[in-house]
Amino acid sequence: MTTQTLKAREDLEGTIKGSILVPDDPAYEETRQVWNAMIDRRPAVIVQCAQAEDVPPVIRFARQNGLELSIRGAGHNIAGNALCDNGVTIDFSRMRKVRVDGAKRRAYVEPGATLADLDEATQAHGLATAVGINSTTGIAGLTLGGGFGWLTRKYGMTIDNLVSVDMVTAEGRKIRANENENKDLFWAIRGGGGNFGVVTQFEFKLVPLGPEIVAGLIVFPFSQAKQVLTKYREFVTSAPEELNVWVVLRKAPPLPFLPENVHGNEVVVLPIFYCGATAEAEKLIAPLRVFGEVLGEHIDVQPYVGWQKAFDASLTPGARNYWKSHNFTELADGALNSMIDFAGKLPSPHCEILIGLVAGAANRIAPNAMAYPHRDAKFVLNVHGRWDEAKEDQKCIGWAREFFNASAPYASAGAYVNFMTADEGDRVAAAYGSNYERLAAIKRRYDPENVFHLNQNIKP
Ligand SMILES: Cc1cc2nc3c(=O)[nH]c(=O)nc-3n(C[C@H](O)[C@H](O)[C@H](O)COP(=O)(O)OP(=O)(O)OC[C@H]3O[C@@H](n4cnc5c(N)ncnc54)[C@H](O)[C@@H]3O)c2cc1C
């Protein structure tokens, strides 16, 4: 045992309710895994908090011992900042409770909760809030960076539905931030990531939804990609906000509704989500079928919580991942051409190019209303490099970077912190645009020593 681990046991045991894991503990190895298998960090101490009150002593312990501090929600962030080397990791995997007040339409969420935890609890009341599309993602990281998914067109980003947070500051002080209390801090954490303190509870407003919605996939041949994408671009300009259609360019997985001879070939997939009146769905979705020759489709009335898990099987933890991303206000021909060009040379069967449609409610918020500024973004592109073996690193990372550069001339300025890798620190200022200076000033007030620097860091 190192001095730090011995000291951690001495200082924290008996003070906190949670558990302390050090490298000798049997559970340590499993606990230090995160979603992206490229991350291999070894904290000296992992504290699995059991209650909000456990957080201040852990922050104090790290600071008094000059140790780095990282915060882990559900460990999905590809940059891997949930973990640190030789420091202290606050791990919230034991704090996943979600309490719903159906009458007030509010959810109170612990910081280790996943989207599945939130969706299941809220849907039990016929309610929901706008989150991401992969149910194992953490609410904490997703919300603090912005958060978008199927409901974003209609109800905005996750931060647009955040009502308040309970936090612990770098000094170990417990505070609440909302539109009335600590307003600056509330402004900053809505997009500013984990830069300002440790959130111990999120409060969201909820809207009635489902429990059934209409959703599914339509698949077209890659040879018709240009025509499908051009029609898609036109279609989404007038589609109602209850309807969301994304685009995925990838090799076809062996989906049961696709003919076997299509499996493994490049295809264009349109994932479709509709949360309006079920009777209206067919009329709205029908025009998508004439974008090209349909290779297969599976669209159904289904539980919202089921659709929220629809992509989990292709986004399992344990693969190597390298992502790049751009925002777009429009999909210019050049952008479509570069997508088609790079989808034609996917370096692994798991790599994909994804266009998420976010146009709608999120665009009706002023860019300076909160830290996240990209209110002009209509589409978010995710260049999703994903593969299994370390020997493929160079090839797959190279593909993602090359495509990122080729599509850059058509993108709007800015970046989404939640999709940034560890090597994109130079994009942090662009991620916050004209809000950066105000964020830095708030950082100086709440965390002048940059205790919370394992994130897309805003320098005090
Ligand atoms: C497969 C997959 C699908 C995704 N889909 C979407 C999507 O549809 N929409 C979308 O918007 N994003 C999506 N993302 C991105 C996702 O929002 C980010 O990866 C997010 O950071 C994950 O949150 P987490 O809590 O799981 O991550 P973690 O890695 O645990 O945390 C990320 C960072 O958040 C901060 N943090 C975490 N918890 C706290 C806390 N309690 N207090 C203060 N700071 C904290 C820390 O700085 C930490 O390093 C996806 C990511 C993956 C891997």
Side-chain angles (χ1 to χ4, degrees), residues 107-232:
Y108 304 88
V109 185
E110 285 191 338
T114 62
L115 309 196
D117 296 329
L118 176 65
D119 289 335
E120 273 156 31
T122 54
Q123 280 286 275
H125 297 258
L127 300 168
T129 198
V131 290
I133 66 148
N134 172 222
S135 82
T136 58
T137 308
I139 283 293
L142 176 110
T143 305
L144 294 169
F148 68 89
W150 303 116
L151 292 175
T152 293
R153 292 207 67 206
K154 176 100 177 126
Y155 297 110
M157 298 183 68
T158 311
I159 41 176
D160 303 340
N161 296 283
L162 186 65
V163 177
S164 78
V165 287
D166 289 346
M167 294 183 70
V168 180
T169 65
E171 298 167 320
R173 200 158 49 94
K174 285 167 65 181
I175 54 175
R176 175 160 293 175
N178 55 34
E179 288 292 4
N180 302 312
E181 299 163 83
N182 300 301
K183 279 170 82 163
D184 259 13
L185 189 58
F186 190 53
W187 179 90
I189 57 108
R190 284 175 291 167
N195 272 285
F196 302 94
V198 182
V199 177
T200 54
Q201 179 176 275
F202 297 86
E203 177 186 356
F204 294 103
K205 67 179 177 209
L206 305 173
V207 291
L209 188 96
E212 291 195 315
I213 47 87
V214 179
L217 308 174
I218 304 183
V219 181
F220 297 97
F222 187 64
S223 57
Q224 295 182 337
K226 186 64 187 279
Q227 144 188 350
V228 173
L229 288 176
T230 311
K231 290 186 177 175
Y232 167 80

Side-chain angles (χ1 to χ4, degrees), residues 12 34-35 60 80 106 200 228 244 288 317 331 377 383 424 426:
L12 294 173
V34 288
W35 185 82
R60 268 195 298 275
R106 290 284 190 271
T200 54
V228 173
N244 203 338
L288 296 165
L331 294 174
V383 188
E424 293 193 302
D426 57 337

Side-chain angles (χ1 to χ4, degrees), residues 71 73-77 81 132-134 138 140-141 144 147-148 197 199 323 416 418:
I71 315 161
H76 254 238
N77 197 287
N81 287 321
I133 66 148
N134 172 222
L144 294 169
F148 68 89
V199 177
W323 291 8
Y416 178 40
N418 273 347

